[in-house]
Amino acid sequence: MEHFDHRTNDFPLARLVGQRRSAVVLILGFVLSGLVLAFAPEPTTGSEAGSNLPETAEAARATEALSALPDANQAPALVVFSRENGQLTEEDLGSIAQRAQQLGRELDVATSPPIPADSGDVALVTLPVESGLTSDENSRIVDTIRETASSDLPDGLRAQVTGAPAVFADLGEVFSGADTRLLLVTASVVALLLVITYRSPWLWLVPLAVIGIGDRVAAKALETFSAWADFPIDGSITGITSVLVFGAGTNYALLLIARYREELRRHESRHDAMRFAVGAAAPAILSSSGTVILGLLALLIADSPFVSRIGMAGAIGLMVAVFFALVVLPAAMSLPGRWLFWPFVPRYGDDDPSHRGWWHRVGRAVTAHPWPVLVTSLALLIAMALGTLSLRTGLGQSEQFLDTPESVQAQETLSEAFAAGTSSPTRIATTPERLDAVVAAANDVDGVERATPADASGSVAEVSVILAAEPQSDEAIATIADLRSALDDADPSALVGGPDAEALDEGATAAQDRQLVVPIVLAIVLAMLLILLRSVVAAVLLAATTVLSYLSALGLGWLLFDHVIGWTAMDVSTPLLAFIFLVALGVDYNIFLTARAREEMRATGDATASIVTALAVTGGVITSAGVLLAAVFAVLGVLPLVLLAQLGVIVGIGVLLDTVVVRSIVTPALVRLCGKRFWWPSALAR
């Protein structure tokens, strides 16, 4: 019965399991968790946390150059007064003027007089807001503006606030209470799927409690790192990290508990069973988690600050998740008796039902007809991947949110009466000597509504440019490119900044990051597969199928976004982040399968029988893990930000493809066709 390699009992982590040792490990784990939760410092937050703009980008250099101006530390908030159906009356304009004066007194700033539109149904008031504030400070100021502007207005007159401070405040509101909401929904989804998986009234509580505590510890560890390293984070970064910890941590827990259940049938002592389970499962878990962690750390070389911060945050979270899955969870599972699995309690000496179950039949069917199954599966994946040929990236400012916040509504009202770019003007940094030439050149560019001199100092002069196109639309970004080209003659050293220029530079940065990071992550995946499986053939085939499933998920996701949901583009960060999560996480399932196949291969020497047995034994748990991970990533849709919703959908689709198609069909078919050559050049190939 115990034909597996007994050296797994000597795996270092397995030595932590025992009646007394498990209790000590569990107590120390909870004490350490309590200390982290109690004493973690407040994190560093700021508007730059979610920025995709590196310091070397032209738009960032323009902002830096303009920081020498007297009013450089201010950003305009725009109060838009309007009547939905009708012209503004004299009474309306008088009330608007009073609100402008009251805003100036309330915030101790100079506000502009009301500027009525030519159409007569909209008036605009601008006031400066200090930039560089924390999210809470900025939100308090914007709330004051909104409350003051809306008070005591005539019936039918409304006030809406937009501009950079208002957009930043609305983004912060998106994540208000998001941690709690995301945690509750994620925990509920995980609990439901664990109950279905284990069919036990209480077994699911143990992994859920352990991984749930691990998630909170990971969040506090991230906040501690944020405070110590001056590493800005926001709700999108913490949300993605939490989903990673819950998803990957629960996956590792499922694999460990499945092996523990299997070993309970081979060992009379539950502590011996857990030692062998940890020794057998830990190498695969460490290899798969190591692949994900290294892949995330590879994001540190990306130029996009947001992407690199996701990489560091995710790596910190996964290291905590692995600790709880391989150190705390074995102790928590082995202390209770076998009754924990009631009503399906594994008894010593029982046969393993998986060897004659559904997944065993699937493995036999696939290996009996490998060519038709492989060709059909690959054709399906390639057909879905073709959707990437029409993929577009770059969301406009009004397309960032699933809901429509007030700042976007105000922007839409403003664009109907004024030039569309009024709410987010383009800023050009030039010199006082070249100011007139730059203004003239900018006004000659198609798509520029008007360019006018703004602030100036002894060495720097600013030109404010209003574009005719909607902010961050394709037309606005194309106008920025034309504007930069037109300024080469007027002032070769001129720098074009502002929201539209930032969007152009973010798109270029994202493309460069993909070209740089993707090959490095593929090299990491291949290296980890080679270390674990010691087979070049297996490593190359598994990496290739994982990349194909990523392209299929990306293509299918884009077709869904474009033709069903109606999103005009993907966020610039979505393809790269989805690649990291899908290739690094997706290869996990092939690692779990082929690591077990390698174990069986050493015992039997039969490549086909080994992959069938591996699929039979791991099929149920890997499928459960895949469905759970896909569901957990789908929970990102709880946060009303398009980037997170897109990421959740694509990763969810990709994980299901990895689980159902690649791991269950493509990999067994490839092993059957390659035979022992699948393990070349290791000794198993001979």
Side-chain angles (χ1 to χ4, degrees):
M1 183 179 297
E2 299 179 12
H3 62 275
F4 297 102
D5 188 351
H6 290 274
R7 287 175 297 174
T8 56
N9 195 27
D10 295 329
F11 195 84
L13 290 176
R15 299 171 191 170
L16 298 176
V17 179
Q19 186 167 358
R20 293 183 179 177
R21 281 171 286 183
S22 294
V24 172
V25 167
L26 198 58
I27 292 171
L28 290 177
F30 285 132
V31 169
L32 179 62
S33 300
L35 292 174
V36 173
L37 294 174
F39 297 106
E42 288 297 316
T44 300
T45 59
S47 60
E48 71 272 24
S51 172
N52 287 307
L53 196 66
E55 294 179 355
T56 55
E58 180 173 336
R61 290 186 288 125
T63 301
E64 178 65 23
L66 293 170
S67 65
L69 296 175
D71 296 331
N73 63 339
Q74 297 177 343
L78 310 179
V79 186
V80 183
F81 295 90
S82 64
R83 282 191 176 276
E84 187 172 351
N85 296 308
Q87 302 290 304
L88 295 176
T89 65
E90 290 298 327
E91 180 187 3
D92 291 338
L93 293 174
S95 295
I96 293 170
Q98 291 176 1
R99 296 286 76 71
Q101 294 171 2
Q102 187 176 350
L103 283 168
R105 291 192 300 268
E106 186 85 19
L107 299 174
D108 193 23
V109 296
T111 60
S112 73
I115 304 172
D118 293 338
S119 57
D121 57 349
V122 174
L124 175 65
V125 172
T126 65
L127 65 156
V129 174
E130 185 180 350
S131 56
L133 300 174
T134 66
S135 179
D136 290 340
E137 291 169 339
N138 180 79
S139 294
R140 282 195 294 269
I141 292 175
V142 172
D143 288 343
T144 299
I145 296 173
R146 285 173 170 161
E147 182 178 348
T148 303
S150 299
S151 63
D152 299 327
L153 290 177
D155 291 341
L157 183 65
R158 64 177 179 177
Q160 300 169 302
V161 182
T162 187
V167 173
F168 182 28
D170 287 340
L171 187 61
E173 182 63 26
V174 164
F175 296 110
S176 176
D179 284 348
T180 301
R181 188 166 65 251
L182 186 68
L183 178 62
L184 290 175
V185 175
T186 304
S188 300
V189 169
V190 170
L192 175 63
L193 292 174
L194 287 176
V195 169
I196 295 172
T197 299
Y198 292 125
R199 294 173 293 170
S200 168
W202 42 65
L203 173 61
W204 61 276
L205 289 170
V206 178
L208 180 63
V210 170
I211 301 303
I213 294 172
D215 171 71
R216 291 299 87 199
V217 172
K220 290 299 181 181
L222 176 58
E223 291 179 4
T224 301
F225 180 82
S226 171
W228 288 351
D230 193 24
F231 178 85
I233 58 176
D234 64 6
S236 60
I237 293 174
T238 56
I240 291 173
T241 303
S242 183
V243 164
L244 269 176
V245 172
F246 249 110
T250 310
N251 271 200
Y252 304 147
L254 285 169
L255 186 70
L256 176 69
I257 294 172
R259 190 57 185 256
Y260 176 46
R261 186 201 293 266
E262 189 178 338
E263 295 297 335
L264 283 172
R265 299 187 181 97
R266 300 192 178 102
H267 300 275
E268 191 168 1
S269 166
R270 66 180 185 274
H271 299 295
D272 288 342
M274 181 56 80
R275 277 193 290 270
F276 276 87
V278 171
I285 291 174
L286 289 173
S287 296
S288 61
S289 61
T291 303
V292 183
I293 290 170
L294 290 175
L296 287 166
L297 290 177
L299 292 177
L300 293 177
I301 66 173
D303 287 330
S304 167
F306 174 69
V307 170
S308 62
R309 290 186 180 111
I310 286 288
M312 177 57 75
I316 292 172
L318 276 182
M319 284 187 276
V320 175
V322 172
F323 171 80
F324 275 84
L326 287 181
V327 176
V328 180
L329 182 61
M333 287 294 301
S334 60
L335 282 177
R338 295 171 184 260
W339 59 267
L340 193 61
F341 289 88
W342 186 88
F344 301 98
V345 180
R347 305 293 183 184
Y348 174 60
D350 286 351
D351 291 333
D352 189 345
S354 62
H355 288 281
R356 58 180 183 275
W358 158 260
W359 289 108
H360 182 265
R361 293 193 293 273
V362 170
R364 293 290 299 272
V366 169
T367 54
H369 308 283
W371 275 117
V373 168
L374 181 63
V375 170
T376 302
S377 301
L378 292 180
L380 176 65
L381 292 172
I382 292 171
M384 288 187 286
L386 293 177
T388 59
L389 298 178
S390 60
L391 178 65
R392 297 187 298 274
T393 60
L395 292 169
Q397 189 179 75
S398 61
E399 299 172 312
Q400 302 285 343
F401 302 91
L402 292 178
D403 300 323
T404 307
E406 181 180 318
S407 59
V408 173
Q409 295 173 1
Q411 155 109 35
E412 293 170 350
T413 302
L414 193 63
S415 64
E416 292 173 0
F418 294 89
T422 301
S423 64
S424 54
T426 295
R427 306 174 69 199
I428 302 175
T430 183
T431 61
E433 296 77 17
R434 303 213 177 224
L435 178 62
D436 293 338
V438 168
V439 170
N443 277 313
D444 287 340
V445 174
D446 289 339
V448 171
E449 186 75 16
R450 66 179 179 275
T452 55
D455 209 354
S457 67
S459 59
V460 179
E462 178 183 352
V463 177
S464 179
V465 180
I466 303 299
L467 304 186
E470 290 286 343
Q472 298 182 25
S473 62
D474 290 343
E475 295 81 1
I477 292 174
T479 301
I480 293 295
D482 294 340
L483 181 60
R484 286 176 171 173
S485 298
L487 296 182
D488 287 343
D489 293 332
D491 182 3
S493 62
L495 299 171
V496 180
D500 295 316
E502 291 173 1
L504 174 61
D505 292 340
E506 286 174 358
T509 299
Q512 293 170 3
D513 285 344
R514 288 194 293 271
Q515 295 173 3
L516 181 64
V517 174
V518 166
I520 293 175
V521 174
L522 287 178
I524 290 171
V525 169
L526 280 170
M528 295 299 288
L529 288 171
L530 285 170
I531 292 171
L532 177 68
L533 303 177
R534 302 168 195 172
S535 166
V536 174
V537 175
V540 171
L541 290 177
L542 295 182
T545 55
T546 303
V547 171
L548 178 58
S549 70
Y550 157 73
L551 293 173
S552 302
L554 191 66
L556 184 59
W558 169 241
L559 293 176
L560 177 65
F561 300 155
D562 189 25
H563 297 289
V564 179
I565 299 178
W567 288 330
T568 60
M570 281 191 192
D571 186 90
V572 293
S573 302
T574 300
L576 180 57
L577 292 177
F579 175 83
I580 299 299
F581 295 148
L582 279 180
V583 172
L585 286 172
V587 80
D588 281 3
Y589 303 114
N590 269 326
I591 285 177
F592 296 155
L593 175 68
T594 52
R596 184 56 183 265
R598 189 173 186 275
E599 189 178 342
E600 295 286 343
M601 186 71 179
R602 288 201 305 268
T604 66
D606 187 330
T608 300
S610 69
I611 196 65
V612 171
T613 301
L615 182 61
V617 173
T618 65
V621 65
I622 293 179
T623 301
S624 299
V627 171
L628 189 146
L629 186 62
V632 167
F633 264 92
V635 171
L636 282 174
V638 170
L639 305 178
L641 209 60
V642 170
L643 161 64
L644 300 181
Q646 290 179 341
L647 191 60
V649 169
I650 293 172
V651 173
I653 292 173
V655 166
L656 292 177
L657 289 176
D658 276 322
T659 305
V660 177
V661 180
V662 174
R663 183 267 315 178
S664 304
I665 299 174
V666 174
T667 299
L670 288 172
V671 174
R672 169 66 178 84
L673 292 171
C674 293
K676 290 185 177 182
R677 292 186 297 275
F678 183 81
W679 301 104
W680 183 88
S682 71
L684 295 180
R686 299 188 293 275

